[in-house]
Amino acid sequence: MRNRGRRSSNVLCLNTKDTMDTAAVARSFGMDDERVVRRAIRQISIGDFAHLPPLRDLKTLFNNPQHQQILQHTYHTFYLDHIAIDEVTARVLSVILLSRQCRCRSLQLHRCSFTDSGRKVFFSALSIMAEYPADSHSGVSPISAMSSPVAFKMGLGARHQMTQSRHTGSHALVHCAQADNMAPMGLYALELCQLGLSDKKCAWLGSVLETQPYLQLLSLRDNHIGHTGIRRLISPLARGCRKLSVLDLSGNMLQSQGVRILAQFLVTSGQGLETLDVSSNGVTAIGARDLANVLVPEFNLSLKHLNLSMNQLEGSGCEAMGRMLVQNQTLEVLTLSQNNMFDNGCQALFFGLESNTTLKSLDISGNFISHVGARSIQTYLQSSSTQTPTDNQPGLQSLNVSANSLGDEGIDVLCGGLSANRHLIDLIANNVDVTDNGMQHVCKVLKAGAVNTPSLLTLSLRHNYRLTRNSYAQLAEASKANHNILRIAADLQFEGWDEVWTKVEMILIRNTVYAMERYRVPLLMVARGRILLRDITHSTSANSTGIYSLPIELRRMILIALDKHSVLTRTQHISALNIACNPANHFSTKQELLAAVLANDYAFVHEMIKTVHS
């Protein structure tokens, strides 16, 4: 058994591609023999279920208190890829799932095949898991309770899945569940991907979902589920999965009828759902209207992430999304790529976006948008830039316009809006047919970026093959005047590109240093201010006057003196002063502390931190 991947310290990768050695052949040992325990783990790790001990002995093996030091890992994640699960395999896996030693929180089945008997055994075990009382799994030894949770992974793609995951949210949900090893028994994340699930098979899947009260993530992507199948799943989801927050149905055959059923589910039982993915489902404008009609404040939904990419919304569907954005107050990420939007759909979408203050990320790539549609983007950027500094919401932070026929004229129009930009941080403009003339407009925007004025942090111009060496040389020169840009993505395919790119790299390194200093200063101010406060007020000396007795001007001077680079505004200085002088303030993370000090500038600085650390 060997660990693989980047997370080798806490993730156990089990791969059926491992070769089976001759020592794994079953022999006759007593169940109290330690070698049987280690050999059983080895056989499970290489997928050798045929040579395992009998099931009744396997139960004794996993529940034997004498072997707790060997079986000290708690398997929170089961990942099975390309596994043929017959009845014998299903019984072995069921024994592991239902043993006291295992506390499975996430089950991921990708490209697996079931026999009828194997499916009945395995999913019956899943239904029983949620019925186990919490104290039935509290009998593990202190050693096993303190051990780090690991992932049980089997299959051809196990190593690849160690470093990549389609849903970043699944890791977060499982991490929350495994923070308390005595949490209620049951699944918190279930992924059944590429299993060939049809409408008929959704009936038995519904019986499983009905018994999972703690399920927070459900992924059924890349199956064959239609509107009949989703109708069979809605009632079990409503009755059994009250805590569901992530639902991925991408790559199915829902069409507009299925989306209408989903919209009804959101109104009746889906108020807690935060992420919905129905991309690549053949949804038309009718389905988009049905979904948009329920994403309004009167239904009190919590949806933050919506993915409708690779459908057939066209202009009328995007117009419905634009009307929804006028009223919606929860949506933060909207993906509408490859929907045949055209210019009229783009205009309607951004017209509604002008009244929206919560959306942070928008993807409209691959929608046949020209310079005509780009003018609506320019109007939005210019109108949103007139917001006062006291506004709570910063506006759109990330925009993807890739794979559209903007051309030089479209880039010129877009840069006209960027010159007045105060909130857009990430711009992705790959494959937009820009030439050297269009790059000149981009360079003007970069030169206009002042040192302390929030502007673009990341810029992507990949797959624009008409750009020449002169364009990138101008880009390097323009970046010198910009102290905010931290990442530039481009394809440099010309002779001597390394010389040009070296200049760009040096500028990005310089800006990274500035960025790190920029967000460290508020932290240092508050931290040092609180140290001063703690040292003075907690002093037992009778002559100690304490910082509270100092005049407010003097206290402000002390903290301002810490800001050697003068990057904070007067309002931020006062905020940092109040925080530093108030021992009642408690912040669990640096982000909370930054949000309190930076106020409206927090979104920009927070994104800058993520970019620097990545």
Side-chain angles (χ1 to χ4, degrees), residues 59-79:
K59 294 178 181 178
T60 306
L61 179 74
F62 275 87
N63 294 326
N64 192 340
Q66 299 178 5
H67 300 148
Q68 293 301 319
Q69 291 184 352
I70 304 172
L71 300 172
Q72 59 180 310
H73 287 301
T74 300
Y75 295 108
H76 283 289
T77 300
F78 269 65
Y79 174 72

Side-chain angles (χ1 to χ4, degrees), residues 62-63 65 68 95-105 125 127-141 144 181-186 214:
F62 275 87
N63 294 326
Q68 293 301 319
V95 168
I96 299 173
L97 286 172
L98 297 178
S99 66
R100 289 182 303 174
Q101 193 62 34
C102 176
R103 298 186 63 83
C104 182
R105 293 291 179 267
S127 301
I128 296 173
M129 283 177 59
E131 299 174 1
Y132 264 41
D135 56 355
S136 67
H137 285 257
S138 60
V140 296
S141 67
S144 63
N181 204 38
M182 296 297 106
M185 191 62 183
Y214 309 109

Side-chain angles (χ1 to χ4, degrees), residues 210-286:
E210 200 167 6
T211 60
Q212 304 299 329
Y214 309 109
L215 193 66
Q216 300 177 29
L217 182 147
L218 176 62
S219 177
L220 301 175
R221 60 183 174 88
D222 298 330
N223 285 292
H224 308 298
I225 302 174
H227 63 90
T228 304
I230 197 63
R231 189 184 299 276
R232 291 176 176 174
L233 294 178
I234 288 302
S235 296
L237 283 175
R239 290 194 300 266
C241 305
R242 301 257 178 199
K243 297 184 179 181
L244 190 67
S245 61
V246 179
L247 179 59
D248 182 2
L249 294 168
S250 60
N252 283 283
M253 300 182 296
L254 299 182
Q255 299 182 337
S256 296
Q257 290 177 281
V259 171
R260 177 176 298 176
I261 297 172
L262 278 177
Q264 296 172 355
F265 165 73
L266 290 176
V267 173
T268 57
S269 306
Q271 284 78 8
L273 196 68
E274 296 183 356
T275 301
L276 177 62
D277 190 343
V278 288
S279 59
S280 186
N281 267 281
V283 182
T284 63
I286 298 176

Side-chain angles (χ1 to χ4, degrees), residues 11 107 227 347 369-370:
V11 178
L107 177 62
H227 63 90
Q347 292 170 349
I369 300 173
S370 68

